[in-house]
Amino acid sequence: MTSPRDPPSLALPMRRHANLRQRRQSASATPLSMHQFRATVVAAVIGLAIAAVVATATEDQPAGAGAAIPKDLQTRFDAFTTEIEPLLAQYCHDCHGGGASEGGQTLDALDDPQRLLDHDLWHAVWQNLRTEIMPPSDVEGPTDAERQQIVAWIERDVFGLDPLHPDPGHVTLRRLNREEYRYTIRDLLGIKFNTVELFPPDDTGYGFDTVGDALAVSPLLLEKYLKAAQSIFASVLETRAAADDDSSPYQRIFFDGPPPDELPARLDYQREIFRRFAGRAFRRPVDEATIDRLMTLADAAQEDGDLSFEEATGHGVVAILSSPRFLFRDEATSSDDTLGNALRLDDYSLAARLSYMLWSSLPDEQLLELASRGELRDNLHEEVDRLLADERSERFIENFVGQWLQTRDVVGKHIDARFVLRQHSSDLDESRFSRDVRTAMRAETEMFVGHLFSENRSIDELLTADYTFLNEVLARVYGVPGVEGREMRKVDLPADSHRGGILRHGSLLWVTSNPRRTSPVKRGLFILENLLGTPPPPPPPDVPELQEDRRGSTKGATMRQLMAAHRADPLCASCHARMDPLGLALENYTALGTFRADDQGSPIDTSGELITGEAFRNVDDLASIMVHQRRNDFYRCLVERLFTFAIGRGVEYYDAPEIKRMVQRLDQEEGRARWLIYGIVDSVPFQYRRGDEAIQP
Amino acid sequence: MKHEQPPIARREFLRGLGVCVALPALPSIARATAAAPAMATTATGAPLRMAFLYVPNGVNVDKWRPTGGGVDYQLGESLASLADFRKHLQFFSGLGHQNGTAGRDGAGDHARASASFLTGARPRKTSGADIHVGTSVDQLAAQHIGGQTRFPSLELSCDSARKSGSCDSGYACAYQYNLAWRSATLPVAAEKNPRLVFERLFGAGDGEARQAALAQRRNARKSILDFVTDDARRLARKAGKADRRKLDEYLTSVREVEQQVEHVEQFGDPKDPQLATPAGIPPAYRDHLRIMFDLLAVAFQTDSTRVATFLLAHDGSNRSFADIGVPDGHHHLSHHGRDEEKLRKIAEIDKFYVEQFAYFLNVMSEKQDVDGRPLLDNSMILYGSGLADGNAHGHHDLPIILAGKGGDTLTPGRYRQAPERTPMSNLYVSMLNRMGVAVDQFGDSDGKIDIG
């Protein structure tokens, strides 16, 4: 999460705490239970209908910051002085007050009301408190109720958030990325168009290529769009011979076959072709003016170039496929349906948000039909289920999981198999680590996550499953017996398999390694960023990467001994104490993802503890802690990753109330994977646009 | 104007032999007299070009840096392959990018190295929203002189795959994967596929088919461009501010494509280079780099553009160089911690890149320009990295080489020692002036550099 200004370090650096931690006697954390979390939230469950009623009374107020601050600054400050400051004095001032300023932050001497407006300061306090990173686990911390009190105070009086009037945020007009373009063309026309070869890679934001702000248009790309549209239409004409096949590309445009001879009938036909095709391509009904312009375009082309009916119509088709209404996700709102200053998206826009989230493509006829009847909102969960049941939902797994868990990178990432195998005197041959096994690694993770959604399993299984998906080549690498053939299938793992859960998937282990060795730092960071949502602040500038593999000079040193250098310098230790132990828990797995009992003869110690204080002996313990004691972080992280992918913007501080609702609901539903999706599609940011920026109908 | 050159086999094309291809008929002279000042033009009337070539992760400074000074200098060990071009080269010390340094922005030196390299500006730290850095020197030149060629500028890259997930330390990936910035908020995408570069420049198909395809594409485009412009304006009318910016990007792109069409109407179709269309991306990185260099030279020779950028690899690239006995990742090695073995391997990688640069210089010096001189003489080719020593993420005293005579406005064959912490942007001002762009200031410049 970031503030609306320059993103600050997401957490206060904690230089001295690393030392404090070493003095700790016992690690007894009292994680916040979901139960207590729930109790403190006011009116947590907002039915949209109820909210809309409330909204009519307050429609003059802007959504988001400011909307819910009825009190002036002085009043807020008085409340702070009596209710919050004593808690800060008790739990924070030892390190952030009285002359001490750990991490460059002080939380005492807050005698100026203006400091309540220091968004960056409170954002950092908020982040560290709610994830229990502060106070450090080895000093006395606030009770859960006190912690919640401070967090709720920041959200209410500093951020100005009002759970009854969530700010949907601003989603910048989204261009289709090259995956979406490819699948949209496939579903629209039945033509396979290779965008990966022909289009430049898309820039990403917040880890995903669905973020509107990062998806630029350049002259090069526009040239490519024009060229693509022409070559796609040429492919359409090539299927003319199969004109009696209703689903042929030709029939999808020339729905009634070749044109009639008489002119008026021809023009009527052309008009209807444009109406149907533009309606599908633009994902909503088109106005007459657009059809008129297309007719003019086709007419002029026909006269100029002595073209056939089909070729002239093709000019219109190319224009449609090059239009910003096709290339961008043009959204409309209904101004008579508001929530505070948020405007509700119309059903066609909602249909497209749903289909692009789960199919990376345009809505099908049923979605458009429901939208046209205004019935989509009443059937949202049913439609999610239907879209997931369709094989096109594989694209969701491919694109969402591919980026979230970086499975997209496995096949292309180079690991020096010969070197790694030789180091570990493995009896495996390097030829085993061909493209086949990397493709299988990718498939393992993607099929596994796909299975959680399709079978609506608990997302806890993401970390704790005792089954996975394998084929013969991958099973050999894992040492799992009895799997034969190329086909990937679900396999129940033997108790001694050392596998299960994505922490032990080849894909994760592979993409987080350096070409010749494991990287506990990268692995730890991966877990923090993508599974716990609590990344450490970036390293201070100009600090070179630590020398982790001077195998030449420190022959025989284990990775753990080498990583100990991180702890020697307090400056490094504060963050590496968060990353390294998590990565070291995976040291039983080589850079190739193979299991090893020892590290070149030295025993491997996988024990450690989280920054929040929970101790673990091995990766099993770690997984268990993540789904139990750190469940709130784990659930919130997954919600936030999917939120970013589906809505197309980064998660902001003002999303906190809506994210909290989704996490709670997910918890109530025992973590069932579909509730991740239901939560997103039901949320205000998915269904609304910010009023002052929304596109008027 | 002669057209007797026989078609050249692809193999020769790949080798980039210095063959003489069909040349444009001194267009700059004609234009210079028609329109007021001659821009991007040499004294003989030939086109003047500039290219910026970027190598990632800094270098092994000890083996890179020249010794001596002025005309009396010795090449660094990693630069041995440039020996033949000594008299065409200028080396610099002391140039850097203050805006690449951490400042108050913390980690993310690779993102800042790329983003500041041609902009001289500090990238705003954001993971996606509010991307902001500055217009790059090549794009500023293109905005002034680009109207004289079919393509205002050409952007090339050899990066195919991008890492998933977040990029460098909280910086949006756009900063790391783009050198060229049309405006502070709009990066210009680069082309990586040699076949597509060629087809964009000269049309698809072979020989006559190519010409026909170009003509056809042009006619069809005009009315379609009108239609989509209308659509974009309609959307913009009802859009909010941020959305309007996206539609502006779209409209600007449409305008540029229109200008290409108009340019051809005015000056005729591009001369066919009499070369076979290259196949796709060659499997070996070295071949990929070389064919891109071939294409860049042909683009210059046919006066398809006068401004280009080429990202040989993005900063932070962890490419491994097994072919030259360095299987380790480049980025990983760059954090060498003074380890002898790692430093040796970095120098090997530096040598590899410099050899490809030498290849390009060779192609550019064997190709003849319209005034009969080697293409290299009428060019300014900048080669460098946004980091000096990758280990320390140094953004000052960058490894920078400027090749070419700039139409006799440069005096190469020198090692120029600028005062410490001289803005790299000062060099850009001097280059822009030679291109006919009359600016006194660019990026964070506080003066000019004597390169004449």
Side-chain angles (χ1 to χ4, degrees), chain A residues 9-11 133 524-525 528-529 533-539 574-576 578-579:
Chain A
S9 296
L10 295 190
I133 285 166
L525 188 61
L528 290 173
E529 278 187 338
T534 54
S574 65
C575 293
H576 281 277
R578 292 160 81 166
M579 296 183 281

Side-chain angles (χ1 to χ4, degrees), chain A residues 596-607:
Chain A
R596 57 179 177 184
D598 57 63
D599 182 2
Q600 298 174 70
S602 309
I604 293 172
D605 176 4
T606 55
S607 65

Side-chain angles (χ1 to χ4, degrees), chain A residues 279-280 282-285 329-332 345-377 379-380 383-384 386-387 646 681 686-687:
Chain A
R280 286 280 283 125
F282 295 165
R283 305 165 284 258
R284 60 174 64 248
R329 297 263 305 281
D330 174 26
E331 293 184 331
L345 286 169
D346 75 349
D347 279 26
Y348 289 108
S349 306
L350 188 65
R353 282 198 174 187
L354 205 56
S355 67
Y356 277 95
M357 174 186 185
L358 296 176
W359 286 352
S360 301
S361 181
L362 40 67
D364 67 353
E365 271 171 34
Q366 178 165 332
L367 276 171
L368 291 177
E369 178 64 27
L370 285 169
S372 77
R373 294 205 305 260
E375 292 172 4
L376 180 55
R377 277 189 167 76
N379 293 286
L380 217 44
E383 283 301 291
V384 166
R386 183 177 72 83
L387 267 58
V681 302
F686 193 83
Q687 297 213 359

Side-chain angles (χ1 to χ4, degrees), chain A residues 172-334:
Chain A
T172 300
L173 188 63
R174 281 163 60 177
R175 170 171 70 69
L176 302 185
N177 63 38
R178 63 182 186 177
E179 292 293 310
E180 291 167 341
Y181 184 98
R182 173 159 77 108
Y183 288 127
T184 301
I185 291 295
R186 185 178 298 181
D187 296 345
L188 180 63
L189 286 168
I191 284 176
K192 291 187 178 177
F193 183 77
N194 184 355
T195 53
V196 173
E197 189 196 336
L198 296 170
F199 289 177
D202 296 302
D203 282 318
T204 59
Y206 306 96
F208 292 103
D209 60 8
T210 54
V211 171
D213 276 313
L215 290 164
V217 178
S218 60
L220 174 75
L221 191 59
L222 190 83
E223 279 180 49
K224 284 173 180 288
Y225 283 144
L226 288 163
K227 215 173 151 185
Q230 285 167 334
S231 100
I232 288 163
F233 184 71
S235 308
V236 167
L237 285 189
E238 281 168 14
T239 64
R240 193 195 281 117
D244 50 346
D245 173 4
D246 274 358
S247 62
S248 79
Y250 182 84
Q251 283 281 332
R252 293 194 199 197
I253 292 177
F254 302 97
F255 61 91
D256 214 8
D261 292 333
E262 307 81 52
L263 191 60
R266 281 168 82 94
L267 291 180
D268 287 347
Y269 183 35
Q270 196 169 43
R271 186 168 266 278
E272 191 54 26
I273 286 173
F274 286 146
R275 185 190 318 282
R276 291 188 186 197
F277 184 69
R280 286 280 283 125
F282 295 165
R283 305 165 284 258
R284 60 174 64 248
V286 286
D287 54 336
E288 284 305 309
T290 302
I291 314 277
D292 289 345
R293 286 161 54 228
L294 287 165
M295 293 296 290
T296 311
L297 178 77
D299 184 47
Q302 197 152 11
E303 279 189 15
D304 282 0
D306 192 23
L307 301 181
S308 71
F309 173 85
E310 285 160 346
E311 287 166 334
T313 308
H315 275 67
V317 170
V318 170
I320 290 167
L321 295 179
S322 310
S323 165
R325 284 194 274 175
F326 173 71
L327 297 168
F328 289 91
R329 297 263 305 281
D330 174 26
E331 293 184 331
T333 51
S334 155

Side-chain angles (χ1 to χ4, degrees), chain A residues 247-503:
Chain A
S247 62
S248 79
Y250 182 84
Q251 283 281 332
R252 293 194 199 197
I253 292 177
F254 302 97
F255 61 91
D256 214 8
D261 292 333
E262 307 81 52
L263 191 60
R266 281 168 82 94
L267 291 180
D268 287 347
Y269 183 35
Q270 196 169 43
R271 186 168 266 278
E272 191 54 26
I273 286 173
F274 286 146
R275 185 190 318 282
R276 291 188 186 197
F277 184 69
R280 286 280 283 125
F282 295 165
R283 305 165 284 258
R284 60 174 64 248
V286 286
D287 54 336
E288 284 305 309
T290 302
I291 314 277
D292 289 345
R293 286 161 54 228
L294 287 165
M295 293 296 290
T296 311
L297 178 77
D299 184 47
Q302 197 152 11
E303 279 189 15
D304 282 0
D306 192 23
L307 301 181
S308 71
F309 173 85
E310 285 160 346
E311 287 166 334
T313 308
H315 275 67
V317 170
V318 170
I320 290 167
L321 295 179
S322 310
S323 165
R325 284 194 274 175
F326 173 71
L327 297 168
F328 289 91
R329 297 263 305 281
D330 174 26
E331 293 184 331
T333 51
S334 155
S335 56
D336 53 358
D337 204 345
T338 59
L339 179 62
N341 194 32
L343 302 183
R344 202 168 81 162
L345 286 169
D346 75 349
D347 279 26
Y348 289 108
S349 306
L350 188 65
R353 282 198 174 187
L354 205 56
S355 67
Y356 277 95
M357 174 186 185
L358 296 176
W359 286 352
S360 301
S361 181
L362 40 67
D364 67 353
E365 271 171 34
Q366 178 165 332
L367 276 171
L368 291 177
E369 178 64 27
L370 285 169
S372 77
R373 294 205 305 260
E375 292 172 4
L376 180 55
R377 277 189 167 76
D378 296 337
N379 293 286
L380 217 44
H381 291 200
E382 291 79 358
E383 283 301 291
V384 166
D385 292 343
R386 183 177 72 83
L387 267 58
L388 280 177
D390 188 289
E391 64 177 19
R392 277 170 280 191
S393 66
E394 282 173 20
R395 304 162 184 175
F396 161 61
I397 299 299
E398 197 178 283
N399 288 328
F400 172 60
V401 179
Q403 295 180 86
W404 167 43
L405 298 177
Q406 298 171 20
T407 49
R408 266 190 192 176
D409 299 357
V410 182
V411 176
K413 173 156 181 150
H414 170 76
I415 300 282
D416 190 342
R418 189 195 313 193
F419 181 87
V420 174
L421 292 172
R422 204 172 47 215
Q423 264 207 326
H424 299 293
S425 332
S426 170
D427 50 4
L428 286 168
D429 183 82
E430 66 180 281
S431 64
R432 290 227 171 271
F433 296 89
S434 63
R435 207 178 171 81
D436 281 354
V437 81
R438 284 180 269 163
T439 307
M441 284 176 176
R442 173 178 187 165
E444 177 193 16
T445 304
E446 293 181 358
M447 289 176 81
F448 173 64
V449 180
H451 168 84
L452 298 181
F453 282 114
S454 67
E455 303 301 312
N456 204 11
R457 306 292 303 176
S458 165
I459 54 171
D460 295 1
E461 289 180 16
L462 193 67
L463 299 169
T464 60
D466 55 5
Y467 60 90
T468 193
F469 289 79
L470 300 173
N471 64 3
E472 185 170 339
V473 286
L474 187 55
R476 287 268 183 95
V477 165
Y478 284 1
V480 173
V483 182
E484 282 164 25
R486 293 181 60 83
E487 193 196 337
M488 301 285 300
R489 87 261 356 219
K490 182 165 175 273
V491 175
D492 291 321
L493 293 162
D496 61 351
S497 69
H498 305 297
R499 297 288 163 179
I502 58 162
L503 296 178

Side-chain angles (χ1 to χ4, degrees), chain A residues 535-610:
Chain A
D542 298 330
V543 172
E545 198 173 278
L546 244 121
Q547 291 313 296
E548 297 159 9
D549 62 343
R550 285 191 183 155
R551 300 264 165 168
S553 53
T554 50
K555 194 78 181 170
T558 61
M559 189 57 86
R560 177 172 292 271
Q561 288 159 342
L562 294 166
M563 302 306 277
H566 285 145
R567 310 297 190 92
D569 181 348
L571 187 72
C572 307
S574 65
C575 293
H576 281 277
R578 292 160 81 166
M579 296 183 281
D580 298 1
L582 305 183
L584 287 168
L586 305 179
E587 265 302 284
N588 278 129
Y589 301 87
T590 68
L592 295 165
T594 54
F595 181 80
R596 57 179 177 184
D598 57 63
D599 182 2
Q600 298 174 70
S602 309
I604 293 172
D605 176 4
T606 55
S607 65
E609 62 190 41
L610 278 77

